[in-house]
């Protein structure tokens, strides 16, 4: 079987869509007008990704406020925030360029999603015209941070919150498969960040990694081995406004805990990693052939979404061949380091004056190069 390929999920929102979000926040356009812009961008994303040769296409998360907040708010600025949340929650992350992203704060229970990923997927299925689709969903561990780190929510104990959270995450994933998704990946960028111990961001020093692993497994335990074979986990050191939040955290802090999650496959940032060989070795020693009934596969990040330089197919091939020599050619796939724009408002500053529109063009070129590089590597490896 040739080396499989898979995109993480998001694409840069075009300038007209980012303007529509801003105008909607300002009250100068209606929700219907915002939806029209979202639909246009989603259709364009599917059409362009289909032309790259990618196995499973996505709508680029064009209808989502962000990879993390789509269940609870319509926009990053907080328009349409769920009524039992306040805007002044914990920072999700403080990025290396100094900007931050903040989560809402739960002020009363119960936790219920306002929007499920499968609802957006259903809107996009027709545009795919039969092309297989995948869908990314947010990890329960990220939404765990909606609950106060050291406090409580009156009348809503944390154990009740966790039960509701697991139920909602399961519903989100099942809904995606029922809507027609062939693959569902869980965004777990907080995994590496959990070991950063950033004094400015208390949760990153609260030793939450094992809690996060256990919480993800609470969700995955509700799925059969055959279902989990098509449920993945994505990990990366962040990717927003062409900056990262935890690249300095050694992968050894995350591995092998990452592979204790009983998922079928993992989308792992590696293209921008300095010592790739060392991480390949860690993956090889941690990957499980029997993760509660499923054999795990490591999709190697061979594309850097934060860098406008397009990797050549030959470069992709070289990285995959090296990874295969250490991890095993039947145990790897090819992916991108991160979504190309996990947050709906992202001007992509490293992409020059062309901004997000240019970054979209580059993203499709990079995906195409990855697909072609995986074919070259498959030929070299005789698979």
């Amino acid at each position: 079987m040739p080396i499989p390929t898979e995109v993480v999920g998001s694409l840069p929102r075009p300038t007209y869509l980012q303007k529509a979000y801003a105008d909607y926040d300002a009250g100068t356009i209606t929700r219907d007008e915002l939806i029209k812009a979202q639909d246009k961008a989603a259709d364009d994303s599917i059409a362009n990704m289909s032309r790259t040769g990618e196995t499973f296409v996505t709508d680029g998360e064009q209808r989502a406020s962000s990879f993390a907040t789509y269940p609870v708010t319509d926009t990053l600025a907080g328009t349409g925030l769920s009524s039992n949340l306040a805007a002044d929650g914990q920072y999700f992350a403080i990025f290396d360029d100094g900007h931050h992203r903040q989560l809402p704060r739960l002020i009363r229970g119960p936790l219920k999603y306002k929007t499920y990923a499968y609802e957006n997927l259903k809107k996009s299925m027709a545009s795919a015209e039969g092309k297989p689709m995948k869908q990314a969903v947010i990890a329960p561990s990220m939404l765990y941070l909606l609950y106060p780190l050291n406090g409580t929510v009156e009348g809503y104990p944390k154990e009740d919150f966790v039960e509701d959270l697991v139920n909602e995450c399961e519903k989100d994933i099942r809904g995606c498969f029922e809507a027609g998704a062939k693959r569902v990946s869980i965004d777990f960028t907080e995994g590496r960040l959990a070991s950063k111990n950033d004094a400015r961001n208390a949760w990153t020093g609260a030793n939450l990694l094992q809690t996060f692993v256990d919480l993800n497994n609470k969700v995955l335990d509700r799925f059969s081995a055959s279902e989990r074979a098509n449920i993945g986990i994505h990990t990366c050191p962040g990717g927003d406004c062409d900056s990262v939040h935890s690249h300095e955290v050694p992968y050894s802090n995350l591995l092998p805990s990452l592979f204790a999650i009983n998922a079928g496959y993992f989308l792992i940032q590696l293209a921008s990693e300095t010592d790739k060989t060392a991480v390949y070795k860690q993956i090889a020693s941690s990957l499980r052939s029997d993760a509660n009934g499923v054999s795990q596969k490591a999709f190697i990040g061979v594309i850097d979404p934060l860098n406008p330089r397009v990797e050549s197919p030959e470069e992709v091939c070289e990285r995959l061949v090296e990874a295969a020599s250490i991890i095993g050619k039947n145990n790897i796939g090819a992916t991108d380091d991160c979504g190309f724009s996990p947050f709906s408002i992202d001007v992509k500053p490293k992409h020059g004056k062309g901004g997000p529109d240019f970054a979209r063009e580059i993203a499709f070129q990079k995906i195409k190069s990855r697909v072609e590089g995986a074919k070259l590597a498959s030929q070299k490896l005789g698979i």
Side-chain angles (χ1 to χ4, degrees):
M1 177 181 174
I3 294 172
T5 70
E6 185 166 327
V7 70
V8 172
S10 68
L11 291 166
R13 281 66 165 179
T15 301
Y16 68 79
L17 178 54
Q18 296 197 36
K19 183 178 185 301
Y21 274 113
D23 290 345
Y24 181 60
D25 283 326
T28 58
I29 66 169
T30 65
R31 178 156 179 77
D32 285 345
E33 289 173 306
L34 172 62
I35 290 172
K36 184 178 179 180
Q38 291 172 327
D39 290 346
K40 178 182 176 182
D43 289 347
D44 180 77
S45 298
I46 293 168
N48 278 288
M49 195 178 294
S50 295
R51 287 191 279 270
T52 66
E54 180 60 273
T55 307
F56 306 106
V57 301
T58 78
D59 62 11
E61 301 175 16
Q62 305 295 287
R63 299 182 178 92
S65 56
S66 78
F67 78 106
T69 58
Y70 71 84
V72 296
T73 186
D74 295 338
T75 75
L76 277 178
T79 302
L81 182 67
S82 296
S83 61
N84 61 341
L85 294 171
D88 60 347
Q90 303 180 78
Y91 289 155
F92 151 55
I94 301 171
F95 289 79
D96 287 0
D97 66 356
H99 87 277
H100 66 264
R101 294 294 189 179
Q102 189 171 15
L103 292 168
R105 175 175 58 91
L106 190 71
I107 55 177
R108 63 179 180 275
L111 175 74
K112 292 292 180 185
Y113 284 14
K114 175 180 178 177
T115 303
Y116 296 89
Y118 65 77
E119 293 177 300
N120 290 333
L121 175 63
K122 286 179 179 178
K123 294 177 182 178
S124 294
M125 288 297 294
S127 298
E129 298 179 340
K131 183 80 172 175
M133 294 194 74
K134 71 156 288 187
Q135 180 63 49
V137 301
I138 190 56
S141 41
M142 174 68 80
L143 297 182
Y144 181 82
L145 299 173
L146 296 176
Y147 201 94
L149 182 62
N150 298 313
T152 60
V153 176
E154 184 177 357
Y156 194 45
K158 183 169 281 189
E159 56 267 28
D160 292 350
F161 163 74
V162 168
E163 180 64 22
D164 288 340
L165 175 57
V166 170
N167 288 339
E168 290 295 272
C169 289
E170 178 194 7
K171 182 178 178 180
D172 207 17
I173 295 169
R174 288 199 184 281
C176 289
F177 284 126
E178 290 168 2
K182 301 301 182 184
R183 305 272 272 189
V184 177
S185 61
I186 299 171
D187 285 324
F188 184 52
T189 184
E190 65 277 14
R192 197 163 174 181
L193 189 55
S195 298
K196 185 170 183 176
N197 198 18
D198 186 344
R200 301 167 299 171
N201 198 12
W203 78 261
T204 66
N207 299 312
L208 288 176
L209 180 57
Q210 189 58 52
T211 298
F212 288 173
V213 169
D214 293 343
L215 188 53
N216 280 284
N217 274 334
K218 280 181 181 290
V219 174
L220 291 174
D221 284 348
R222 298 185 176 189
F223 293 86
S224 67
S226 60
E227 290 171 325
R228 285 184 289 108
N230 290 307
I231 300 176
I233 298 287
H234 166 58
T235 183
C236 72
D240 181 38
C241 297
D242 294 335
S243 187
V244 295
H245 55 54
S246 55
H247 193 270
E248 73 274 30
V249 177
Y251 255 123
S252 56
N253 288 15
L254 178 60
L255 306 174
S257 295
L258 178 69
F259 296 106
I261 300 175
N262 295 319
Y265 68 99
F266 296 80
L267 306 169
I268 306 170
Q269 168 268 342
L270 270 160
S272 56
E273 201 65 22
T274 303
D275 191 350
K276 298 176 180 60
T277 303
V279 182
Y280 295 156
K281 291 177 180 178
Q282 292 177 50
I283 292 171
S285 65
S286 303
L287 204 64
R288 291 189 291 157
S289 60
D290 184 3
N292 196 17
V294 64
S295 180
Q296 296 178 332
K297 187 181 289 286
F299 280 65
I300 305 303
V302 291
I303 295 292
D304 182 359
L306 308 185
N307 189 331
R309 183 184 72 83
V310 178
E311 297 84 348
S312 69
E314 291 75 18
E315 186 178 356
V316 169
C317 172
E318 182 181 347
R319 291 175 177 176
L320 291 172
V321 168
E322 182 189 0
S325 72
I326 298 170
I327 303 169
K329 64 184 181 181
N330 295 318
N331 296 327
I332 67 166
T335 189
D336 313 309
D337 274 8
C338 185
F340 285 88
S341 274
F343 294 86
S344 55
I345 304 301
D346 183 350
V347 298
K348 302 295 290 183
K350 289 184 180 177
H351 287 70
K353 294 181 180 179
D357 294 333
F358 175 64
R360 274 176 71 83
E361 295 175 11
I362 292 296
F364 296 124
Q365 292 175 34
K366 283 174 172 273
I367 293 169
K368 186 174 187 291
S369 189
R370 170 170 49 75
V371 171
E372 292 176 353
K375 290 178 181 177
L376 289 176
S378 298
Q379 293 167 3
K380 278 196 172 186
L381 295 167
I383 55 176

